């Protein structure tokens, strides 16, 4: 069920318009309703779910454990819902999101199949005017983007891409009815997390799978398994403490076995035992073995070499194993992938890895793909080529702030946003998990809840004080951007050409976009709120 677009005029704007009906948009709507602020959501998809609506490729799973990747804001919800696996599949997460939408009657304020085509700030009226592809203009006092960080897919400009006559799929736009690849010759471009999750599943169906790799990724085994009743009971009984621990005391917004010491100075045999134990346990816990792994190159090298050894042990063909070993960036400086039998997949007779570093793609052909020294024919070509991350959807939305300034122009040299929440010169525009906030370096749901609560509390504060506009102070924004960069450069993150840095999109400025540290970030936001929202300007 889709709600009709809200009836608004410049004289009767809706209080808040939320763009996006994923985890962020749904909670924002619920929170605004709770305080009696009029709100509506527009969503370009035909239903709720955001990233979990679109990314339906075989093997799609969350890499944060399901007991932690769920809302914490309703005690009955978290007691009633029971996850079945350690790492939830995309269908299970989507069922959860649908359950939440039903349970809190959210769809009655969500208009689906409606994309925002522009948003322009009206300085005199202190409100936003939006156009959509569905017809009438929308007027709102506050515009809140809940558009996700990985929601604008990147389709690379490979020569001949339109000439292909077989079937093309993208992992980020997978057909909802599913795809039967039985007996098909499949080419897969990209070796990021999506490809690493999909490859084993694709290989088990297809007659032949050829994986085209430009840059290898580090991946650790998920060791996914059904959740035991005991574990579920423990989490349900202790949710309030565990959620608080994740929010307030962790860098990532998720609970892992946190390190107690540095790798440097620790006996190599002890390190090996510790890394082995974490490898066996599975999941991103591996990244938290020592507290200097993402800080000191020498420590990082130890963990990186451990994983390379695992790849070499697992993959039987030495040349393939060597090609799968990342060697030119620190482990963990790109998001660590969490897989189920990825490396083992390359031992199958029907799977082949093509190292594009050795033979780059020349062009896509009508029947497949040509590299510098070979031609391949496929029935199906799959692009798992990533996203214009964090800023892509925002800069494409054609947002114009005060003085006619375009957001895309303001961010041409890199995004700046105070706390990742507001960008100066764009009053009354809030971004949930925007650039400069922990977002993709965190358990997204923890970060989403914190941003939604902050925005909600600020809007209530404005209402109480009779203020109708709010903007970020330009100097506060500059200082925050400098702080984000400074923190990043105390780590090894900037040493990888990652999508955190915008490095996967040709021409995108290389700026480290997320803020490192959920715990530190929350403490700063709380202090700013307590100080009467310092760094934000308000006006009646
Ligand atoms: P990623 O991690 O950005 O991976 C995209 C992959 O596509 C990566 O291996 C790229 O290689 C590859 N790519 C991109 N363009 C090309 C061209 N032109 N030729 C060959 N290969 C190309 O996206 P995912 O969807 O896998 O994962 C994103 C996040 O989603 C993930 O971290 C989870 O949080 C969920 P490159 O590395 O650029 O050489």
């Amino acid at each position: 069920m889709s709600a009709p677009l809200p009836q608004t005029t410049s004289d009767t704007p809706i209080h808040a318009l939320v763009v996006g009906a994923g985890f962020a948009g749904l909670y924002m709507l619920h929170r605004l309703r709770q305080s009696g602020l009029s709100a509506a959501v527009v969503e370009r998809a035909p239903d709720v779910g955001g990233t979990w609506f679109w990314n339906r490729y075989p093997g799609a799973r969350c890499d944060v454990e399901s007991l932690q990747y769920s809302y914490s804001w309703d005690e009955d919800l978290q007691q009633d819902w029971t996850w079945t696996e350690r790492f939830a599949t995309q269908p299970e997460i989507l069922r959860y999101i649908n359950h939440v939408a039903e349970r809190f009657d959210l769809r009655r304020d969500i208009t689906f199949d409606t994309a925002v085509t522009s948003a322009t700030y009206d300085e005199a009226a202190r409100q936003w005017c939006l156009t959509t592809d569905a017809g009438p203009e929308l007027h709102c006092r506050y515009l809140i983007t809940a558009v996700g960080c990985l929601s604008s897919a990147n389709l690379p400009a490979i020569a001949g891409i339109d000439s292909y006559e077989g079937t093309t799929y993208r992992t980020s736009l997978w057909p909802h009815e599913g795809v039967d690849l039985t007996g098909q010759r499949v080419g897969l471009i990209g070796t990021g997390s999506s490809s690493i999750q999909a490859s084993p599943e694709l290989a088990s169906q297809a007659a032949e799978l050829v994986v085209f790799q430009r840059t290898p990724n580090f991946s650790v085994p998920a060791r996914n398994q059904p959740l035991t009743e005991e574990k579920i009971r423990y989490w349900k009984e202790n949710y309030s403490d565990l959620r608080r621990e994740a929010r307030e005391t962790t860098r990532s917004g998720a609970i892992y076995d946190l390190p107690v010491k540095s790798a440097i100075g620790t006996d190599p045999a002890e390190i090996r035992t510790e890394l082995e134990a974490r490898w066996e346990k599975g999941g991103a816990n591996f990244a938290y073995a020592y507290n200097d792994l993402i800080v000191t190159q020498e420590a990082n090298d130890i963990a990186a070499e451990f994983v390379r050894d695992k790849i070499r042990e697992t993959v039987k063909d030495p040349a393939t194993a060597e090609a799968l070993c990342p060697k030119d960036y620190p482990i963990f400086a790109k998001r660590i992938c969490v897989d189920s039998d990825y490396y083992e997949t390359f031992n199958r007779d029907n799977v082949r890895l093509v190292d594009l570093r050795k033979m780059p793609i020349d062009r896509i052909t009508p029947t497949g793909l040509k590299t510098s020294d070979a031609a391949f024919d496929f029935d199906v070509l799959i692009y798992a080529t990533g996203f214009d991350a964090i800023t892509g959807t925002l800069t494409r939305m054609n947002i114009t702030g005060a003085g006619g300034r375009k957001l895309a122009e303001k961010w041409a040299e890199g995004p700046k946003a105070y706390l990742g929440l507001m960008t100066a010169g764009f009053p009354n525009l809030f971004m949930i998990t925007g650039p400069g906030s922990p977002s993709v370096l965190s358990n997204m749901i923890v970060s989403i809840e914190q941003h939604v609560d902050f925005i909600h509390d600020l809007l209530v504060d404005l209402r109480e004080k009779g203020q109708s506009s709010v903007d970020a102070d330009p100097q506060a924004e500059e200082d925050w951007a400098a702080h984000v960069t400074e923190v990043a450069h105390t780590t090894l993150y900037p040493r990888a050409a990652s999508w955190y840095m915008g490095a996967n999109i040709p021409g995108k400025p290389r700026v480290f976009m997320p803020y490192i540290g959920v715990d530190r970030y929350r403490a700063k936001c709380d202090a700013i709120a307590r100080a009467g929202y310092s760094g934000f300007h308000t006006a009646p």
Side-chain angles (χ1 to χ4, degrees):
M1 185 197 82
S2 177
L5 274 175
Q7 298 291 310
T8 63
T9 67
S10 53
D11 292 330
T12 55
I14 193 165
H15 201 71
L17 198 90
V18 180
V19 185
F23 273 107
L26 294 186
Y27 180 42
M28 191 78 243
L29 173 63
H30 178 69
R31 201 81 175 83
L32 292 166
R33 269 189 195 167
Q34 280 180 323
S35 294
L37 296 167
S38 68
V41 178
V42 287
E43 164 59 60
R44 66 181 173 182
D47 209 341
V48 296
T51 197
W52 298 108
F53 178 87
W54 298 108
N55 288 269
R56 298 178 185 231
Y57 57 84
R61 272 178 203 280
C62 188
D63 55 8
V64 176
E65 296 196 14
S66 54
L67 288 161
Q68 306 202 47
Y69 191 79
S70 53
Y71 287 130
S72 71
W73 44 265
D74 188 89
E75 180 57 17
D76 290 343
L77 170 66
Q78 66 184 6
Q79 293 301 331
D80 290 351
W81 183 267
T82 299
W83 295 101
T84 63
E85 291 180 68
R86 179 179 178 189
F87 295 101
T89 59
Q90 174 272 335
E92 189 170 27
I93 298 171
L94 196 57
R95 276 199 297 281
Y96 173 77
I97 299 174
N98 274 282
H99 170 77
V100 172
E102 290 292 318
R103 185 175 180 124
F104 297 94
D105 189 22
L106 298 173
R107 283 196 179 84
R108 74 179 149 87
D109 285 318
I110 307 175
T111 310
F112 295 107
D113 292 309
T114 302
V116 173
T117 47
S118 75
T120 307
Y121 188 63
D122 177 340
E123 283 176 78
R126 297 192 161 161
Q127 57 182 253
W128 285 89
C129 176
L130 276 71
T131 59
T132 70
D133 59 1
E137 288 182 344
L138 293 169
H139 300 266
C140 59
R141 175 73 63 206
Y142 301 102
L143 175 61
I144 304 170
T145 63
V147 295
C149 293
L150 297 166
S151 46
S152 283
N154 168 44
L155 191 61
I158 303 175
I161 198 162
D162 294 330
S163 69
Y164 182 62
E165 290 169 359
T167 310
T168 301
Y169 299 111
R170 299 194 205 183
T171 46
S172 58
L173 273 179
W174 201 257
H176 289 196
E177 61 280 12
V179 175
D180 182 7
L181 294 170
T182 313
Q184 305 280 292
R185 296 165 304 164
V186 178
L188 173 63
I189 301 178
T191 49
S193 177
S194 301
S195 169
I196 283 175
Q197 289 187 338
S199 293
E201 303 274 338
L202 300 174
S204 70
Q205 286 179 30
E208 177 193 323
L209 175 68
V210 183
V211 179
F212 294 91
Q213 170 189 276
R214 192 165 64 181
T215 312
N217 258 291
F218 288 99
S219 188
V220 296
R223 314 270 183 229
N224 185 45
Q225 56 195 301
L227 283 170
T228 60
E229 277 181 27
E230 191 188 349
K231 182 150 187 189
I232 293 169
R233 192 176 329 110
Y234 171 77
W235 274 80
K236 287 193 176 180
E237 282 173 2
N238 295 286
Y239 251 137
S240 66
D241 288 344
L242 294 166
R243 301 284 203 191
R244 189 175 326 109
E245 184 183 338
R247 283 184 204 121
E248 294 175 10
T249 70
T250 72
R251 192 184 78 201
S252 66
I255 297 170
Y256 294 106
D257 302 327
L258 288 187
V260 287
K261 59 180 175 178
S262 311
I264 300 300
T266 301
D267 173 47
E270 184 187 328
I271 295 178
R272 179 120 205 132
T273 306
E274 178 67 22
L275 292 178
E276 195 68 58
R278 286 176 183 255
W279 184 267
E280 282 312 310
K281 200 169 173 189
N285 243 320
F286 184 80
Y288 297 90
Y290 293 95
N291 56 25
D292 50 355
L293 294 182
I294 190 61
V295 179
T296 309
Q297 186 65 55
E298 206 185 332
N300 188 278
D301 289 342
I302 299 170
E305 193 54 23
F306 179 93
V307 176
R308 286 191 287 264
D309 282 347
K310 288 289 181 192
I311 297 170
R312 291 175 185 126
E313 273 168 31
T314 308
V315 179
K316 290 188 185 130
D317 174 53
T320 303
E322 226 34 55
L324 285 164
C325 286
K327 291 177 189 134
D328 56 4
Y329 62 91
I331 186 171
F332 314 125
K334 291 185 177 192
R335 192 178 174 98
I336 189 83
C337 300
V338 177
D339 73 271
S340 296
D341 295 335
Y342 176 63
Y343 295 117
E344 290 81 351
T345 296
F346 292 94
N347 292 333
R348 295 178 63 117
D349 292 339
N350 67 334
V351 177
R352 176 177 166 194
L353 181 77
V354 173
D355 183 354
L356 297 176
R357 293 270 168 99
K358 292 211 173 105
M359 42 162 139
I361 297 178
D362 182 28
R363 58 185 301 107
I364 306 288
T365 65
T367 55
L369 187 158
K370 214 171 143 314
T371 63
S372 56
D373 61 356
F376 299 83
D377 287 340
F378 298 116
D379 304 304
V380 171
L381 205 44
I382 300 172
Y383 292 90
T385 45
F387 300 86
D388 185 349
I390 304 175
T391 54
T393 306
L394 292 167
T395 52
R396 279 175 178 79
M397 215 192 281
N398 202 7
I399 298 175
T400 307
R405 191 166 191 204
K406 304 263 185 218
L407 183 67
E409 283 167 18
K410 177 178 172 182
W411 285 358
E413 304 300 316
K416 284 187 181 158
Y418 182 44
L419 301 176
L421 274 161
M422 292 199 89
T423 188
F426 295 76
N428 293 4
L429 168 66
F430 294 98
M431 295 168 289
I432 301 175
T433 65
S437 71
S439 68
V440 291
L441 279 186
S442 69
N443 176 350
M444 283 300 286
I445 300 192
V446 169
S447 287
I448 283 168
E449 290 185 348
Q450 187 249 343
H451 263 192
V452 167
D453 290 341
F454 188 96
I455 294 166
H456 164 269
D457 293 352
L458 177 49
L459 293 186
V460 168
D461 190 67
L462 290 170
R463 181 176 63 180
E464 282 168 4
K465 292 180 175 146
Q467 304 285 289
S468 65
S469 90
V470 57
D471 196 359
D473 174 70
Q475 190 57 49
E477 177 170 294
E478 284 298 328
D479 294 347
W480 182 255
H483 176 59
V484 172
T485 303
E486 184 192 328
V487 172
H489 284 271
T490 62
T491 72
L492 302 174
Y493 278 107
R495 296 198 191 176
S498 66
W499 52 259
Y500 299 146
M501 296 284 292
N504 64 327
I505 302 295
K508 192 165 173 174
R510 295 209 177 187
V511 173
F512 192 80
M513 294 182 279
Y515 182 72
I516 301 167
V518 164
D519 45 357
R520 175 169 42 193
Y521 178 79
R522 173 179 290 269
K524 284 180 187 294
C525 288
D526 288 351
I528 285 166
R530 276 197 306 275
Y533 296 101
S534 52
F536 293 96
H537 292 306
T538 62

